[in-house]
Every structure is written in C-alpha cells, then in structure tokens.
Amino acid sequence: MEKRLIWDLPTRLFHWLLVITLIVQYVTAEVLDDAMQWHFYAGYFALGLILFRILWGLAGTDYARFSHFVKGPVTVLRYACNLFNRDSPAHTGHNPLGGWMVILMLALIATQAVSGLFLTDDVFLDGPYRSAVSEATQDTMNFLHHNVFNVLLALIALHIAAIIFYAIYKKQRLAPSMIHGKKATEDKAISSSKLLLAALLIALSAATVYYAVEIAPPAPVDDGAYY
Ligand code: HEM
Ligand code: HEM
C-alpha cells in the first residue's frame, strides 16, 4: 500500500507541543519551586493550543476535522466489539473509539487550563479571573484544577497504552504517522496542510488568549495587606 499524507503539519505540531506543554505544567507545579509564573505562561499557551485545535477541528484538513472522527454510539460499539480482532482493518484517521478519547482529552485539558485562571498560588500570583468570582466559584475551580489533572494522567496513560497495544497486538504502528504525517492507506491523502489558514487560526487563537488574560480581566482587588 502506498504511504500517503494524512496528518497535516499543524495537527502534528499541535500534538507534540501539547505533550511538551503538559510536561512543563507538571514540572512547574509539582517539581520546581518558584516556577509559578512559568506555570501561568505555559497554561496560557495550553489554552491557545486547545483553542486552535477546536478551530482546526472545524476548518482544518480532512482527517483532523471533528466531523471525520466523531462517530455515533452504534459505530463506536461495533468498533469496540472488534477491538481484540487482530485483523480488523486499520483506520486512516482516528478510529471511532480513539476519536472520543481525543475529545475527552481536549475537554479535560481545556477544563484544567480554564480553572487555572481562577486560582492563586497563595504567595504572589493570582490567576487573572480570581478576583472576578465568588469564593464558592474559586473553591470549585480549585477542586477542578487539583482533581481533573489526575483523571488526565490516567487518560494519558491509557492513550499511550493504546498506542503500544496497536503496535504490538494489532501490528499497526500509529506513532510514526504522528511524526511524519504519513500512513500506508488506500484512502485519499490530504492535498495540503492548509498552512495559510493554520497561520490565520493560530494568530486568532493567540489574540483571543491575549485578550482573555491580559485585557479583559478586572483589575485585581487590592486588600492592602502589604502596605
Ligand atoms: C502528554 C501526553 C499526551 C497527550 C496529552 C496526547 C494527546 C493527544 C491528542 C489530543 C491526540 C489527538 C490529535 C489530534 O487529532 O489533534 C493524540 C493523538 C495521538 N497521539 Fe498523543 N498525546 C500524548 C502523548 C503521546 C505519546 C507519548 C505518543 C507516542 C508514543 C502519542 C501518540 C499519538 C498518536 C500516534 C496519535 C494519533 C492516534 C491515531 O492514529 O488515531 N501521544 N494525542
Ligand atoms: C493545561 C494547563 C494546566 C495544567 C496541566 C496545570 C496543572 C497543574 C497541576 C498538576 C498543579 C498541581 C496541583 C496539585 O498540587 O494538586 C497545578 C497547580 C496550580 N496551577 Fe495549574 N495547570 C494548568 C494551567 C494553569 C493556569 C492557566 C493557571 C493560572 C493562570 C494555573 C495556576 C495554577 C496555580 C496557582 C496552582 C497552585 C495551586 C495551589 O498551590 O493550590 N494553572 N496546575
């Protein structure tokens, strides 16, 4: 079978930048002392990545679109019943189960990044929307930020386990295609990575995040404690 381009460059860059960002988020929150400012910056970057991926899921190349990989329950169930069949045919884009896994990961990472905007490190730094909400909302966001990450870790472990399962059990090596973008398939290749559109959507995502964290938030409440 011929190797054809199916994952465009923006989707691949998105994936590996997301992996790096989540590692940075973990390290700046749990390992390093005094790295909270970097945790905030990387968190804003994560927000931008997710925003871009949502836009790309609507307007990007064929296999990256939600309409291509978000399937109904019957298709998902039928696929799940065949999961342990070694000879079930490979999917060119995300398979029906994997598609929902992608949605779930994106939703949880979005929840993690948005809830961070309402947190404080209890020392110097407040997320940009902390003073805009009630104490009850702050508590909810705090709860989400501390607990969603553990669910996310479990999903990431499952995600990597699935990649290994496909490689060993089904002899389908998915990881290289997330690097070079190509897969052996009879389905049609994407004709281009739509780089100009991607650049526009990246600029739009970056501007939206800048507006949301730098311009829109209310001025922090000064409780006068350090005067
Ligand atoms: C922090 C860790 C990770 C996160 C949050 C993550 C998240 C994701 C997301 C959101 C997608 C969907 C891509 C898209 O359509 O935009 C995806 C796909 C994919 N990821 Fe990861 N990933 C992680 C680590 C890894 C690692 C370490 C590998 C390689 C061993 C990997 C291999 C893949 C592959 C091969 C796909 C495409 C699967 C398919 O063919 O359907 N990921 N990942
Ligand atoms: C995807 C993005 C993010 C990830 C994966 C992430 C992850 C984490 C993790 C794992 C912790 C440690 C939680 C614990 O000790 O139980 C943490 C703490 C924290 N994060 Fe994030 N975070 C993200 C985005 C943000 C953003 C955007 C902000 C603020 C603008 C933020 C602010 C904070 C603060 C202030 C803490 C310390 C909370 C405390 O000490 O109780 N985070 N984050």
Side-chain angles (χ1 to χ4, degrees), residues 89-140:
H91 271 259
T92 305
H94 298 310
N95 68 54
L97 265 183
W100 279 105
M101 182 72 165
V102 172
I103 299 295
L104 203 57
M105 284 199 283
L106 294 180
L108 288 184
I109 297 167
T111 306
Q112 187 73 21
V114 170
S115 59
L117 303 176
F118 300 84
L119 262 56
T120 177
D121 70 349
D122 287 325
V123 191
F124 296 114
L125 291 170
D126 277 358
Y129 287 96
R130 183 160 185 84
S131 64
V133 296
S134 66
E135 220 168 284
T137 308
Q138 292 174 355
D139 289 348
T140 308

Side-chain angles (χ1 to χ4, degrees), residues 8 27 47 59 64 67 81 86 96-97 103 109-110 121-122 146 157 169 181 185-186 215 217 220 223 226:
D8 57 73
V27 171
L47 211 52
S67 59
C81 291
R86 285 180 199 264
L97 265 183
I103 299 295
I109 297 167
D121 70 349
D122 287 325
H146 284 84
Y169 187 83
T185 178
E186 275 162 7
I215 299 173
D223 61 9
Y226 295 103

Side-chain angles (χ1 to χ4, degrees), residues 22 25-26 29-30 36 39-40 43-44 46 109 112-113 116-117 119-122 125 127-128 142 145-146 149 152:
L22 287 194
Q25 289 307 78
Y26 179 82
E30 304 271 24
M36 214 9 98
H39 187 80
F40 277 34
Y44 301 154
I109 297 167
Q112 187 73 21
L117 303 176
L119 262 56
T120 177
D121 70 349
D122 287 325
L125 291 170
N142 202 37
H145 208 73
H146 284 84
F149 191 72
L152 197 55

